[in-house]
Amino acid sequence: MRKLYRLLKASDFKSVLDKRKCVVKNDCFSLYYAANNLTHARIGISASNKIGNAVIRVKVRRQVRAIIATISKKHDVYNLPVDVVIIIRTDFAKATYQDNYDKLNKAFSFLATMRK
């Protein structure tokens, strides 16, 4: 994911979470979104210390970025004018890659249909 499509500042994360428009909230992750004034989407991934050590957290974030890269080809995720924050929960690391892919795919397809 290019830097252009990422949420990097804590203030950006806070502005999305303050608006609290939730698409999905399950045992693996929560997905929040807010409209932005840009022509593309920005995505932020948050993984807390409860998930595991640094190696596990980096692995989980890398998996989410890889899933989003494959999903973006189908649902055209980056052309939506929204900021998205994905908060990873502990069960994400325990689930299989295919289960996580299916759940994120369903969430982003729902987001894409909502925003059109």
Side-chain angles (χ1 to χ4, degrees):
M1 191 178 343
R2 290 182 15 204
K3 214 173 208 182
L4 175 70
Y5 299 124
R6 282 191 267 169
L7 286 177
L8 298 174
K9 296 180 181 177
S11 60
D12 294 336
F13 277 85
K14 187 172 176 357
S15 67
V16 173
L17 293 176
D18 285 344
K19 295 178 184 170
R20 290 279 187 209
K21 291 182 183 175
C22 184
V23 175
V24 175
K25 188 180 245 185
N26 58 28
D27 56 343
C28 290
F29 61 90
S30 298
L31 193 139
Y32 299 98
Y33 75 97
N36 65 17
N37 296 329
L38 305 171
T39 59
H40 60 274
R42 295 186 303 170
I43 300 172
I45 304 166
S46 173
S48 73
N49 290 341
K50 294 178 183 178
I51 293 174
N53 61 10
V55 175
I56 302 297
R57 291 193 307 271
V58 169
K59 177 185 173 186
V60 167
R61 286 194 299 264
R62 195 172 55 237
Q63 281 184 354
V64 171
R65 283 193 297 269
I67 291 170
I68 290 171
T70 56
I71 289 172
S72 67
K73 295 173 186 172
K74 282 195 266 185
H75 298 297
D76 206 17
V77 172
Y78 294 121
N79 286 337
L80 300 172
V82 294
D83 289 339
V84 178
V85 172
I86 302 170
I87 299 175
I88 306 298
R89 297 193 180 173
T90 55
D91 288 345
F92 192 91
K94 297 174 187 171
T96 64
Y97 182 85
Q98 188 62 42
D99 291 339
N100 293 333
Y101 177 84
D102 293 338
K103 289 178 183 178
L104 273 171
N105 187 20
K106 188 175 180 181
F108 274 102
S109 65
F110 185 69
L111 180 67
T113 58
M114 261 178 43
R115 295 300 300 169
K116 286 185 180 179

